[in-house]
Amino acid sequence: MSNDAGATMKAILMREPGTADVLYYGDAPRPVAGPGEVLIRVHATSVNRPDIVQREGNYPPPPGESDILGLEVAGVVEAVAPDVRDWRPGDRVMTLVGGGGYAEYARARADLLMRIPEGMDFETAACVCETYITAYLNVFMVGGLRDGDTALLHGGGGGVNTAALLLCRALAPRARLIVTASPGKEDRLKVLGAHHVIDYRATPDFAAEVKTITNKKGADVILDHIGARYLAPNMNSLAAGGRLVIIGVMSGIKAELNLALMMVKRQQIIGSVLRSRPAPEKAAIVREFSERALPGIADGRATPIVEKVFPLAQAAQAHAWMEAGGIFGKIVLSVRPT
């Protein structure tokens, strides 16, 4: 198939912002690869928490990006723009996209593409880009985790948290890993590399537990997506010179902060997002991720965990499944070629 405009494709569309039942399987214009881009025949994509936030009307795509949901895809290059030299039709690729992943075709920047490792299926590859790059960026590049440090990772069995655990095990095998999670996940998290699992329902003051585990030192890096409600306990859990990296605000955006204590302890609070970063910055992140982290995924040390696979047409059910909670790993949408 060519890169010509005018063709249609199947995609997941929205009637309006709202609950999962606003999603439906319908026809949409097939995208065209512009300068520096490729067109990908999507074989699989995944469901990420930002997809739900966007579906609810609270996370619009960056200017110029598709308003179709979906932040990562795995598939085969269908067509390339004339100025693209390193990729050709037939290449098996996985990549971040600014939007448009829930569809049979997606356009992507050529400088964000990664080759799917030999032997990896499309469903597994569809789990790599959004959560693994998010975890690598924020734990290692932003948070500066070093081998031997202590990390506190919130998120239990979610995609970013399981990716962070596996990447820490592969890249910082001597790091001490503390995880907060809901009941019933302790054994699985320890298999992935967690040394201590705190049941946040039974132990709402996780800071006291972190202090006990670390002999009062605290964590060097904290990865948090909860936001306001966790700010105070996170700061109490943070070691002197530690870094709190906030990647989500599920519990709200405003909280009080003891600035004097933060200054005395030389602590840092860093806000971080991936989707809205400038394209050259994202390309640099992908290059470093490909060089440092992808080998550990390719050789099996940090293989993504696929919780459940839905057909693309059942995206609404996949969203409902994620929102029900209790998942462990990633939810994938399979887009079988027709």
Side-chain angles (χ1 to χ4, degrees):
M1 190 174 289
S2 71
N3 192 37
D4 296 335
T8 62
M9 64 178 180
K10 292 297 183 182
I12 297 299
L13 308 174
M14 289 199 312
R15 295 182 181 87
E16 59 188 3
T19 57
D21 59 7
V22 304
L23 301 178
Y24 69 97
Y25 187 63
D27 293 316
R30 182 162 58 85
V32 174
E37 295 181 338
V38 306
L39 181 68
I40 297 172
R41 176 63 168 96
V42 180
H43 286 236
T45 183
S46 73
V47 178
N48 293 286
R49 183 65 58 177
D51 300 340
I52 292 174
V53 181
Q54 181 176 336
R55 188 204 71 212
E56 294 171 335
N58 298 318
Y59 191 34
E65 298 290 356
S66 172
D67 58 5
I68 294 172
L69 301 179
L71 299 177
E72 60 185 332
V73 300
V76 175
V77 174
E78 183 74 25
V80 302
D83 61 341
V84 172
R85 298 285 180 265
D86 296 332
W87 302 95
R88 56 182 51 86
D91 287 341
R92 297 173 73 246
V93 297
M94 52 189 180
T95 188
L96 293 167
V97 290
Y102 289 19
E104 290 182 311
Y105 293 89
R107 62 184 180 88
R109 289 181 57 92
D111 56 4
L112 299 183
L113 299 182
M114 295 183 289
R115 296 188 188 278
I116 296 176
E118 188 71 27
M120 180 179 288
D121 59 41
F122 289 110
E123 287 76 17
T124 303
C127 299
V128 171
C129 293
E130 176 65 17
T131 50
Y132 273 74
I133 293 177
T134 294
Y136 177 78
L137 166 66
N138 293 297
V139 173
F140 291 95
M141 296 180 71
V142 175
L145 184 77
R146 298 180 296 270
D147 205 9
D149 282 350
T150 296
L152 171 60
L153 308 172
H154 296 298
V160 172
N161 193 60
T162 53
L165 279 170
L166 290 165
L167 288 173
C168 287
R169 188 173 69 179
L171 302 178
R174 294 187 299 111
R176 178 186 291 182
L177 306 176
I178 306 170
V179 178
T180 60
S182 55
K185 297 180 179 179
E186 180 175 2
D187 291 343
R188 295 185 73 179
L189 289 166
K190 287 189 173 181
V191 168
L192 297 190
H195 298 99
H196 305 275
V197 179
I198 301 172
D199 179 349
Y200 64 78
R201 294 180 184 174
T203 312
D205 183 12
F206 60 81
E209 189 71 15
V210 171
K211 289 292 184 67
T212 298
I213 292 169
T214 61
N215 195 26
K216 299 183 179 180
K217 176 180 180 292
D220 300 291
V221 177
I222 300 177
L223 182 65
D224 175 62
H225 67 286
I226 302 298
R229 180 161 52 88
Y230 272 18
L231 181 61
N234 274 334
M235 296 306 290
N236 289 335
S237 301
L238 201 60
R243 286 81 62 198
L244 166 60
V245 185
I246 300 176
I247 62 172
V249 287
M250 290 181 64
S251 70
I253 61 173
K254 294 182 179 181
E256 291 188 358
L257 175 66
N258 186 332
L259 293 172
L261 184 59
M262 182 183 74
M263 293 164 62
V264 169
K265 296 181 70 175
R266 308 178 311 282
Q267 296 167 326
Q268 300 177 53
I269 302 174
I270 308 166
S272 178
V273 294
L274 179 59
R275 187 183 193 183
S276 61
R277 288 173 183 259
E281 193 173 320
K282 283 198 281 191
I285 293 166
V286 168
R287 284 195 299 272
E288 180 172 331
F289 176 85
S290 298
E291 294 170 2
R292 189 175 179 204
L294 191 55
I297 298 171
D299 66 18
R301 288 176 294 157
T303 302
I305 297 169
V306 178
E307 168 78 2
K308 190 172 179 66
V309 179
F310 289 85
L312 178 64
Q314 294 180 13
Q317 292 95 314
H319 275 224
W321 182 278
M322 172 173 276
E323 290 177 289
I327 66 169
F328 197 93
K330 291 294 295 280
I331 297 173
V332 172
L333 299 176
S334 179
V335 190
R336 298 296 182 185
T338 57

